[in-house]
Amino acid sequence: MPVIFPRPVSVPRSVLDTVPIVEGSTARVALANTLDLAQRAGRLGYRRYWVPGHHGMPGVAGSATSVIIEADRLADRADQGPRSGGVLLPNHSSLVLAEQFGML
């Protein structure tokens, strides 16, 4: 009896970008790299572009999630797909986050 395999399933792809600062580089270059990656991800059909808020981590320029998402939008880099951000509520005022993301 032949083995029947289910049809291949298309799994949506996403990018998780902490906006790393490469050794010997700067936060400005890290943000430029992030904008470039967002543009490429959009062209390649990635479903989401996630930017987590990691605070106090050396080598990470992506601690201001809402600012990075807005910079990406204004630069018109990821116009092919939605951007998303991850924010830990205990680190922020709920009202401030609601205002920031409501404005976005």
mmCIF file of all heavy atoms in Angstrom, residues 54-104:
data_model
loop_
_atom_site.group_PDB
_atom_site.id
_atom_site.type_symbol
_atom_site.label_atom_id
_atom_site.label_comp_id
_atom_site.label_asym_id
_atom_site.label_seq_id
_atom_site.Cartn_x
_atom_site.Cartn_y
_atom_site.Cartn_z
ATOM 1 N N HIS A 54 14.067 45.019 24.363
ATOM 2 C CA HIS A 54 15.010 44.468 25.335
ATOM 3 C C HIS A 54 15.761 45.630 25.970
ATOM 4 O O HIS A 54 16.509 46.326 25.304
ATOM 5 C CB HIS A 54 15.985 43.501 24.666
ATOM 6 C CG HIS A 54 15.350 42.235 24.221
ATOM 7 N ND1 HIS A 54 14.852 41.305 25.100
ATOM 8 C CD2 HIS A 54 15.111 41.736 22.991
ATOM 9 C CE1 HIS A 54 14.351 40.288 24.436
ATOM 10 N NE2 HIS A 54 14.485 40.526 23.153
ATOM 11 N N HIS A 55 15.544 45.836 27.248
ATOM 12 C CA HIS A 55 16.122 46.980 27.938
ATOM 13 C C HIS A 55 17.393 46.603 28.688
ATOM 14 O O HIS A 55 17.484 45.538 29.272
ATOM 15 C CB HIS A 55 15.107 47.552 28.929
ATOM 16 C CG HIS A 55 13.821 47.929 28.262
ATOM 17 N ND1 HIS A 55 13.688 49.066 27.511
ATOM 18 C CD2 HIS A 55 12.623 47.291 28.203
ATOM 19 C CE1 HIS A 55 12.472 49.125 27.033
ATOM 20 N NE2 HIS A 55 11.803 48.060 27.429
ATOM 21 N N GLY A 56 18.348 47.505 28.651
ATOM 22 C CA GLY A 56 19.571 47.332 29.418
ATOM 23 C C GLY A 56 20.475 46.214 28.923
ATOM 24 O O GLY A 56 21.331 45.746 29.670
ATOM 25 N N MET A 57 20.299 45.788 27.699
ATOM 26 C CA MET A 57 21.160 44.735 27.149
ATOM 27 C C MET A 57 22.256 45.379 26.309
ATOM 28 O O MET A 57 21.958 46.104 25.352
ATOM 29 C CB MET A 57 20.352 43.766 26.280
ATOM 30 C CG MET A 57 19.421 42.884 27.065
ATOM 31 S SD MET A 57 18.526 41.722 25.981
ATOM 32 C CE MET A 57 19.876 40.753 25.317
ATOM 33 N N PRO A 58 23.498 45.126 26.666
ATOM 34 C CA PRO A 58 24.580 45.672 25.841
ATOM 35 C C PRO A 58 24.538 45.065 24.443
ATOM 36 O O PRO A 58 24.227 43.892 24.263
ATOM 37 C CB PRO A 58 25.855 45.266 26.583
ATOM 38 C CG PRO A 58 25.451 44.228 27.569
ATOM 39 C CD PRO A 58 23.976 44.328 27.776
ATOM 40 N N GLY A 59 24.803 45.879 23.465
ATOM 41 C CA GLY A 59 24.839 45.378 22.101
ATOM 42 C C GLY A 59 23.490 45.337 21.414
ATOM 43 O O GLY A 59 23.376 44.837 20.301
ATOM 44 N N VAL A 60 22.441 45.871 22.060
ATOM 45 C CA VAL A 60 21.111 45.879 21.457
ATOM 46 C C VAL A 60 20.624 47.322 21.391
ATOM 47 O O VAL A 60 20.543 48.004 22.410
ATOM 48 C CB VAL A 60 20.123 45.014 22.276
ATOM 49 C CG1 VAL A 60 18.712 45.154 21.754
ATOM 50 C CG2 VAL A 60 20.554 43.554 22.228
ATOM 51 N N ALA A 61 20.294 47.777 20.186
ATOM 52 C CA ALA A 61 19.827 49.155 20.011
ATOM 53 C C ALA A 61 18.304 49.224 19.956
ATOM 54 O O ALA A 61 17.755 50.299 19.824
ATOM 55 C CB ALA A 61 20.413 49.741 18.727
ATOM 56 N N GLY A 62 17.636 48.082 20.069
ATOM 57 C CA GLY A 62 16.194 48.051 19.869
ATOM 58 C C GLY A 62 15.357 48.071 21.116
ATOM 59 O O GLY A 62 14.398 47.329 21.212
ATOM 60 N N SER A 63 15.652 48.944 22.068
ATOM 61 C CA SER A 63 14.869 48.944 23.304
ATOM 62 C C SER A 63 13.626 49.817 23.229
ATOM 63 O O SER A 63 12.735 49.699 24.062
ATOM 64 C CB SER A 63 15.738 49.374 24.483
ATOM 65 O OG SER A 63 16.229 50.674 24.265
ATOM 66 N N ALA A 64 13.522 50.690 22.252
ATOM 67 C CA ALA A 64 12.356 51.567 22.110
ATOM 68 C C ALA A 64 11.494 51.068 20.956
ATOM 69 O O ALA A 64 11.539 51.582 19.848
ATOM 70 C CB ALA A 64 12.804 52.998 21.884
ATOM 71 N N THR A 65 10.693 50.056 21.237
ATOM 72 C CA THR A 65 9.917 49.368 20.211
ATOM 73 C C THR A 65 9.068 50.305 19.377
ATOM 74 O O THR A 65 9.101 50.254 18.143
ATOM 75 C CB THR A 65 9.025 48.302 20.869
ATOM 76 O OG1 THR A 65 9.853 47.428 21.623
ATOM 77 C CG2 THR A 65 8.279 47.499 19.840
ATOM 78 N N SER A 66 8.302 51.172 20.012
ATOM 79 C CA SER A 66 7.406 52.044 19.249
ATOM 80 C C SER A 66 8.179 53.003 18.342
ATOM 81 O O SER A 66 7.737 53.311 17.240
ATOM 82 C CB SER A 66 6.488 52.825 20.189
ATOM 83 O OG SER A 66 7.233 53.627 21.071
ATOM 84 N N VAL A 67 9.344 53.450 18.786
ATOM 85 C CA VAL A 67 10.152 54.357 17.975
ATOM 86 C C VAL A 67 10.689 53.634 16.750
ATOM 87 O O VAL A 67 10.674 54.177 15.635
ATOM 88 C CB VAL A 67 11.318 54.953 18.810
ATOM 89 C CG1 VAL A 67 12.245 55.780 17.942
ATOM 90 C CG2 VAL A 67 10.767 55.774 19.965
ATOM 91 N N ILE A 68 11.132 52.414 16.918
ATOM 92 C CA ILE A 68 11.672 51.649 15.788
ATOM 93 C C ILE A 68 10.581 51.333 14.776
ATOM 94 O O ILE A 68 10.787 51.446 13.570
ATOM 95 C CB ILE A 68 12.368 50.372 16.278
ATOM 96 C CG1 ILE A 68 13.629 50.755 17.039
ATOM 97 C CG2 ILE A 68 12.706 49.455 15.110
ATOM 98 C CD1 ILE A 68 14.290 49.618 17.749
ATOM 99 N N ILE A 69 9.398 50.959 15.267
ATOM 100 C CA ILE A 69 8.295 50.677 14.344
ATOM 101 C C ILE A 69 7.950 51.930 13.546
ATOM 102 O O ILE A 69 7.732 51.877 12.334
ATOM 103 C CB ILE A 69 7.065 50.158 15.116
ATOM 104 C CG1 ILE A 69 7.341 48.755 15.637
ATOM 105 C CG2 ILE A 69 5.829 50.157 14.222
ATOM 106 C CD1 ILE A 69 6.262 48.228 16.555
ATOM 107 N N GLU A 70 7.910 53.075 14.202
ATOM 108 C CA GLU A 70 7.579 54.320 13.504
ATOM 109 C C GLU A 70 8.682 54.714 12.538
ATOM 110 O O GLU A 70 8.405 55.169 11.428
ATOM 111 C CB GLU A 70 7.328 55.447 14.506
ATOM 112 C CG GLU A 70 6.903 56.741 13.860
ATOM 113 C CD GLU A 70 5.593 56.669 13.086
ATOM 114 O OE1 GLU A 70 4.884 55.652 13.143
ATOM 115 O OE2 GLU A 70 5.263 57.667 12.401
ATOM 116 N N ALA A 71 9.942 54.555 12.913
ATOM 117 C CA ALA A 71 11.048 54.869 12.007
ATOM 118 C C ALA A 71 10.945 54.008 10.755
ATOM 119 O O ALA A 71 11.142 54.491 9.637
ATOM 120 C CB ALA A 71 12.386 54.636 12.707
ATOM 121 N N ASP A 72 10.587 52.758 10.940
ATOM 122 C CA ASP A 72 10.430 51.838 9.825
ATOM 123 C C ASP A 72 9.300 52.313 8.911
ATOM 124 O O ASP A 72 9.423 52.351 7.696
ATOM 125 C CB ASP A 72 10.146 50.436 10.377
ATOM 126 C CG ASP A 72 9.793 49.448 9.293
ATOM 127 O OD1 ASP A 72 10.508 49.419 8.285
ATOM 128 O OD2 ASP A 72 8.798 48.731 9.453
ATOM 129 N N ARG A 73 8.177 52.715 9.501
ATOM 130 C CA ARG A 73 7.033 53.155 8.712
ATOM 131 C C ARG A 73 7.362 54.441 7.951
ATOM 132 O O ARG A 73 7.083 54.562 6.764
ATOM 133 C CB ARG A 73 5.817 53.373 9.602
ATOM 134 C CG ARG A 73 4.546 53.656 8.811
ATOM 135 C CD ARG A 73 3.409 54.035 9.711
ATOM 136 N NE ARG A 73 3.556 55.363 10.273
ATOM 137 C CZ ARG A 73 3.346 56.511 9.605
ATOM 138 N NH1 ARG A 73 3.003 56.468 8.350
ATOM 139 N NH2 ARG A 73 3.498 57.658 10.199
ATOM 140 N N LEU A 74 7.965 55.411 8.645
ATOM 141 C CA LEU A 74 8.280 56.677 8.007
ATOM 142 C C LEU A 74 9.295 56.504 6.887
ATOM 143 O O LEU A 74 9.259 57.202 5.890
ATOM 144 C CB LEU A 74 8.803 57.682 9.031
ATOM 145 C CG LEU A 74 7.754 58.231 9.985
ATOM 146 C CD1 LEU A 74 8.420 59.132 11.015
ATOM 147 C CD2 LEU A 74 6.676 58.990 9.234
ATOM 148 N N ALA A 75 10.216 55.587 7.070
ATOM 149 C CA ALA A 75 11.210 55.334 6.031
ATOM 150 C C ALA A 75 10.612 54.539 4.877
ATOM 151 O O ALA A 75 11.253 54.328 3.860
ATOM 152 C CB ALA A 75 12.403 54.588 6.619
ATOM 153 N N ASP A 76 9.359 54.089 5.051
ATOM 154 C CA ASP A 76 8.648 53.330 4.025
ATOM 155 C C ASP A 76 9.445 52.106 3.602
ATOM 156 O O ASP A 76 9.552 51.774 2.431
ATOM 157 C CB ASP A 76 8.348 54.212 2.819
ATOM 158 C CG ASP A 76 7.244 53.615 1.951
ATOM 159 O OD1 ASP A 76 6.389 52.874 2.477
ATOM 160 O OD2 ASP A 76 7.250 53.876 0.735
ATOM 161 N N ARG A 77 10.006 51.418 4.589
ATOM 162 C CA ARG A 77 10.871 50.285 4.302
ATOM 163 C C ARG A 77 10.140 48.954 4.282
ATOM 164 O O ARG A 77 10.554 48.048 3.601
ATOM 165 C CB ARG A 77 12.000 50.207 5.329
ATOM 166 C CG ARG A 77 12.850 51.428 5.395
ATOM 167 C CD ARG A 77 13.591 51.617 4.108
ATOM 168 N NE ARG A 77 14.411 52.805 4.188
ATOM 169 C CZ ARG A 77 15.603 52.909 3.642
ATOM 170 N NH1 ARG A 77 16.109 51.924 2.978
ATOM 171 N NH2 ARG A 77 16.264 54.021 3.747
ATOM 172 N N ALA A 78 9.091 48.821 5.043
ATOM 173 C CA ALA A 78 8.415 47.520 5.125
ATOM 174 C C ALA A 78 6.979 47.650 4.649
ATOM 175 O O ALA A 78 6.052 47.153 5.253
ATOM 176 C CB ALA A 78 8.462 46.979 6.546
ATOM 177 N N ASP A 79 6.803 48.334 3.508
ATOM 178 C CA ASP A 79 5.451 48.602 3.044
ATOM 179 C C ASP A 79 4.744 47.356 2.521
ATOM 180 O O ASP A 79 3.563 47.408 2.207
ATOM 181 C CB ASP A 79 5.463 49.696 1.983
ATOM 182 C CG ASP A 79 6.382 49.364 0.816
ATOM 183 O OD1 ASP A 79 7.082 48.333 0.877
ATOM 184 O OD2 ASP A 79 6.403 50.135 -0.138
ATOM 185 N N GLN A 80 5.429 46.250 2.433
ATOM 186 C CA GLN A 80 4.818 45.027 1.938
ATOM 187 C C GLN A 80 4.142 44.205 3.030
ATOM 188 O O GLN A 80 3.487 43.225 2.736
ATOM 189 C CB GLN A 80 5.880 44.153 1.246
ATOM 190 C CG GLN A 80 6.532 44.839 0.075
ATOM 191 C CD GLN A 80 5.538 45.128 -1.022
ATOM 192 O OE1 GLN A 80 4.737 44.283 -1.370
ATOM 193 N NE2 GLN A 80 5.580 46.324 -1.562
ATOM 194 N N GLY A 81 4.325 44.564 4.273
ATOM 195 C CA GLY A 81 3.730 43.766 5.337
ATOM 196 C C GLY A 81 3.694 44.523 6.645
ATOM 197 O O GLY A 81 4.347 45.546 6.806
ATOM 198 N N PRO A 82 2.908 44.035 7.590
ATOM 199 C CA PRO A 82 2.762 44.726 8.877
ATOM 200 C C PRO A 82 3.976 44.558 9.770
ATOM 201 O O PRO A 82 4.695 43.578 9.679
ATOM 202 C CB PRO A 82 1.545 44.044 9.504
ATOM 203 C CG PRO A 82 1.523 42.692 8.884
ATOM 204 C CD PRO A 82 2.091 42.842 7.504
ATOM 205 N N ARG A 83 4.198 45.538 10.613
ATOM 206 C CA ARG A 83 5.241 45.464 11.620
ATOM 207 C C ARG A 83 4.586 45.178 12.965
ATOM 208 O O ARG A 83 3.435 45.518 13.188
ATOM 209 C CB ARG A 83 6.009 46.787 11.717
ATOM 210 C CG ARG A 83 7.055 46.946 10.664
ATOM 211 C CD ARG A 83 6.555 47.455 9.350
ATOM 212 N NE ARG A 83 5.841 48.711 9.471
ATOM 213 C CZ ARG A 83 4.924 49.081 8.580
ATOM 214 N NH1 ARG A 83 4.638 48.327 7.569
ATOM 215 N NH2 ARG A 83 4.295 50.221 8.711
ATOM 216 N N SER A 84 5.323 44.563 13.841
ATOM 217 C CA SER A 84 4.796 44.240 15.163
ATOM 218 C C SER A 84 5.867 44.510 16.204
ATOM 219 O O SER A 84 7.053 44.428 15.916
ATOM 220 C CB SER A 84 4.411 42.759 15.235
ATOM 221 O OG SER A 84 3.441 42.450 14.271
ATOM 222 N N GLY A 85 5.409 44.799 17.402
ATOM 223 C CA GLY A 85 6.346 45.033 18.480
ATOM 224 C C GLY A 85 5.957 44.247 19.708
ATOM 225 O O GLY A 85 4.786 44.015 19.960
ATOM 226 N N GLY A 86 6.958 43.828 20.442
ATOM 227 C CA GLY A 86 6.723 43.140 21.697
ATOM 228 C C GLY A 86 7.194 44.019 22.844
ATOM 229 O O GLY A 86 8.331 44.468 22.856
ATOM 230 N N VAL A 87 6.304 44.293 23.781
ATOM 231 C CA VAL A 87 6.632 45.161 24.904
ATOM 232 C C VAL A 87 6.213 44.463 26.191
ATOM 233 O O VAL A 87 5.102 43.941 26.287
ATOM 234 C CB VAL A 87 5.895 46.515 24.782
ATOM 235 C CG1 VAL A 87 6.200 47.401 25.972
ATOM 236 C CG2 VAL A 87 6.263 47.214 23.485
ATOM 237 N N LEU A 88 7.097 44.449 27.171
ATOM 238 C CA LEU A 88 6.765 43.877 28.476
ATOM 239 C C LEU A 88 6.074 44.936 29.317
ATOM 240 O O LEU A 88 6.668 45.958 29.679
ATOM 241 C CB LEU A 88 8.034 43.388 29.176
ATOM 242 C CG LEU A 88 8.734 42.218 28.513
ATOM 243 C CD1 LEU A 88 10.084 41.962 29.169
ATOM 244 C CD2 LEU A 88 7.859 40.985 28.577
ATOM 245 N N LEU A 89 4.814 44.718 29.629
ATOM 246 C CA LEU A 89 4.033 45.719 30.355
ATOM 247 C C LEU A 89 4.607 46.107 31.713
ATOM 248 O O LEU A 89 4.508 47.271 32.099
ATOM 249 C CB LEU A 89 2.582 45.260 30.492
ATOM 250 C CG LEU A 89 1.791 45.312 29.189
ATOM 251 C CD1 LEU A 89 0.401 44.736 29.399
ATOM 252 C CD2 LEU A 89 1.716 46.725 28.655
ATOM 253 N N PRO A 90 5.222 45.195 32.484
ATOM 254 C CA PRO A 90 5.738 45.625 33.788
ATOM 255 C C PRO A 90 6.831 46.698 33.697
ATOM 256 O O PRO A 90 7.098 47.395 34.656
ATOM 257 C CB PRO A 90 6.304 44.338 34.393
ATOM 258 C CG PRO A 90 5.603 43.244 33.696
ATOM 259 C CD PRO A 90 5.329 43.753 32.308
ATOM 260 N N ASN A 91 7.443 46.827 32.514
ATOM 261 C CA ASN A 91 8.516 47.807 32.347
ATOM 262 C C ASN A 91 8.015 49.174 31.908
ATOM 263 O O ASN A 91 8.810 50.103 31.767
ATOM 264 C CB ASN A 91 9.539 47.305 31.331
ATOM 265 C CG ASN A 91 10.248 46.063 31.802
ATOM 266 O OD1 ASN A 91 10.339 45.822 33.000
ATOM 267 N ND2 ASN A 91 10.742 45.272 30.884
ATOM 268 N N HIS A 92 6.720 49.306 31.620
ATOM 269 C CA HIS A 92 6.193 50.542 31.050
ATOM 270 C C HIS A 92 4.843 50.876 31.665
ATOM 271 O O HIS A 92 4.107 50.002 32.102
ATOM 272 C CB HIS A 92 5.997 50.388 29.530
ATOM 273 C CG HIS A 92 7.227 49.991 28.807
ATOM 274 N ND1 HIS A 92 8.183 50.889 28.417
ATOM 275 C CD2 HIS A 92 7.673 48.779 28.406
ATOM 276 C CE1 HIS A 92 9.164 50.256 27.798
ATOM 277 N NE2 HIS A 92 8.879 48.973 27.789
ATOM 278 N N SER A 93 4.489 52.132 31.599
ATOM 279 C CA SER A 93 3.157 52.564 31.996
ATOM 280 C C SER A 93 2.171 52.131 30.912
ATOM 281 O O SER A 93 2.395 52.366 29.719
ATOM 282 C CB SER A 93 3.133 54.090 32.137
ATOM 283 O OG SER A 93 1.818 54.566 32.041
ATOM 284 N N SER A 94 1.090 51.498 31.309
ATOM 285 C CA SER A 94 0.085 51.041 30.342
ATOM 286 C C SER A 94 -0.482 52.203 29.541
ATOM 287 O O SER A 94 -0.717 52.082 28.337
ATOM 288 C CB SER A 94 -1.048 50.306 31.060
ATOM 289 O OG SER A 94 -0.544 49.172 31.702
ATOM 290 N N LEU A 95 -0.698 53.326 30.193
ATOM 291 C CA LEU A 95 -1.241 54.493 29.506
ATOM 292 C C LEU A 95 -0.279 54.998 28.436
ATOM 293 O O LEU A 95 -0.683 55.308 27.312
ATOM 294 C CB LEU A 95 -1.549 55.611 30.500
ATOM 295 C CG LEU A 95 -2.065 56.923 29.890
ATOM 296 C CD1 LEU A 95 -3.349 56.683 29.108
ATOM 297 C CD2 LEU A 95 -2.281 57.954 30.972
ATOM 298 N N VAL A 96 1.004 55.070 28.756
ATOM 299 C CA VAL A 96 2.000 55.538 27.780
ATOM 300 C C VAL A 96 2.027 54.599 26.583
ATOM 301 O O VAL A 96 2.046 55.053 25.423
ATOM 302 C CB VAL A 96 3.389 55.657 28.439
ATOM 303 C CG1 VAL A 96 4.467 55.896 27.390
ATOM 304 C CG2 VAL A 96 3.389 56.769 29.473
ATOM 305 N N LEU A 97 2.025 53.304 26.819
ATOM 306 C CA LEU A 97 2.036 52.353 25.702
ATOM 307 C C LEU A 97 0.774 52.478 24.856
ATOM 308 O O LEU A 97 0.829 52.449 23.621
ATOM 309 C CB LEU A 97 2.178 50.918 26.205
ATOM 310 C CG LEU A 97 3.560 50.549 26.726
ATOM 311 C CD1 LEU A 97 3.547 49.147 27.296
ATOM 312 C CD2 LEU A 97 4.590 50.661 25.621
ATOM 313 N N ALA A 98 -0.375 52.607 25.512
ATOM 314 C CA ALA A 98 -1.633 52.751 24.773
ATOM 315 C C ALA A 98 -1.587 54.006 23.896
ATOM 316 O O ALA A 98 -2.023 53.972 22.734
ATOM 317 C CB ALA A 98 -2.808 52.820 25.747
ATOM 318 N N GLU A 99 -1.036 55.075 24.413
ATOM 319 C CA GLU A 99 -0.929 56.306 23.634
ATOM 320 C C GLU A 99 0.047 56.151 22.473
ATOM 321 O O GLU A 99 -0.231 56.564 21.345
ATOM 322 C CB GLU A 99 -0.486 57.466 24.519
ATOM 323 C CG GLU A 99 -1.556 57.914 25.498
ATOM 324 C CD GLU A 99 -1.082 58.973 26.470
ATOM 325 O OE1 GLU A 99 0.159 59.095 26.659
ATOM 326 O OE2 GLU A 99 -1.931 59.658 27.031
ATOM 327 N N GLN A 100 1.204 55.547 22.730
ATOM 328 C CA GLN A 100 2.204 55.385 21.670
ATOM 329 C C GLN A 100 1.688 54.507 20.548
ATOM 330 O O GLN A 100 1.752 54.887 19.376
ATOM 331 C CB GLN A 100 3.479 54.773 22.247
ATOM 332 C CG GLN A 100 4.270 55.705 23.111
ATOM 333 C CD GLN A 100 5.467 55.033 23.759
ATOM 334 O OE1 GLN A 100 5.654 53.826 23.666
ATOM 335 N NE2 GLN A 100 6.303 55.825 24.412
ATOM 336 N N PHE A 101 1.172 53.333 20.885
ATOM 337 C CA PHE A 101 0.737 52.418 19.838
ATOM 338 C C PHE A 101 -0.585 52.846 19.222
ATOM 339 O O PHE A 101 -0.863 52.557 18.063
ATOM 340 C CB PHE A 101 0.693 50.981 20.369
ATOM 341 C CG PHE A 101 2.070 50.380 20.457
ATOM 342 C CD1 PHE A 101 2.802 50.472 21.620
ATOM 343 C CD2 PHE A 101 2.636 49.762 19.368
ATOM 344 C CE1 PHE A 101 4.085 49.942 21.709
ATOM 345 C CE2 PHE A 101 3.918 49.237 19.436
ATOM 346 C CZ PHE A 101 4.639 49.330 20.608
ATOM 347 N N GLY A 102 -1.416 53.578 19.981
ATOM 348 C CA GLY A 102 -2.621 54.143 19.400
ATOM 349 C C GLY A 102 -2.284 55.178 18.347
ATOM 350 O O GLY A 102 -2.936 55.282 17.316
ATOM 351 N N MET A 103 -1.228 55.931 18.583
ATOM 352 C CA MET A 103 -0.792 56.947 17.627
ATOM 353 C C MET A 103 -0.209 56.297 16.373
ATOM 354 O O MET A 103 -0.387 56.803 15.273
ATOM 355 C CB MET A 103 0.265 57.830 18.289
ATOM 356 C CG MET A 103 0.657 59.008 17.482
ATOM 357 S SD MET A 103 -0.711 60.144 17.483
ATOM 358 C CE MET A 103 0.000 61.494 16.645
ATOM 359 N N LEU A 104 0.467 55.169 16.550
ATOM 360 C CA LEU A 104 1.043 54.479 15.393
ATOM 361 C C LEU A 104 -0.038 53.927 14.504
ATOM 362 O O LEU A 104 0.071 53.831 13.319
ATOM 363 C CB LEU A 104 1.971 53.345 15.852
ATOM 364 C CG LEU A 104 3.237 53.774 16.576
ATOM 365 C CD1 LEU A 104 4.006 52.547 17.054
ATOM 366 C CD2 LEU A 104 4.108 54.621 15.684
#
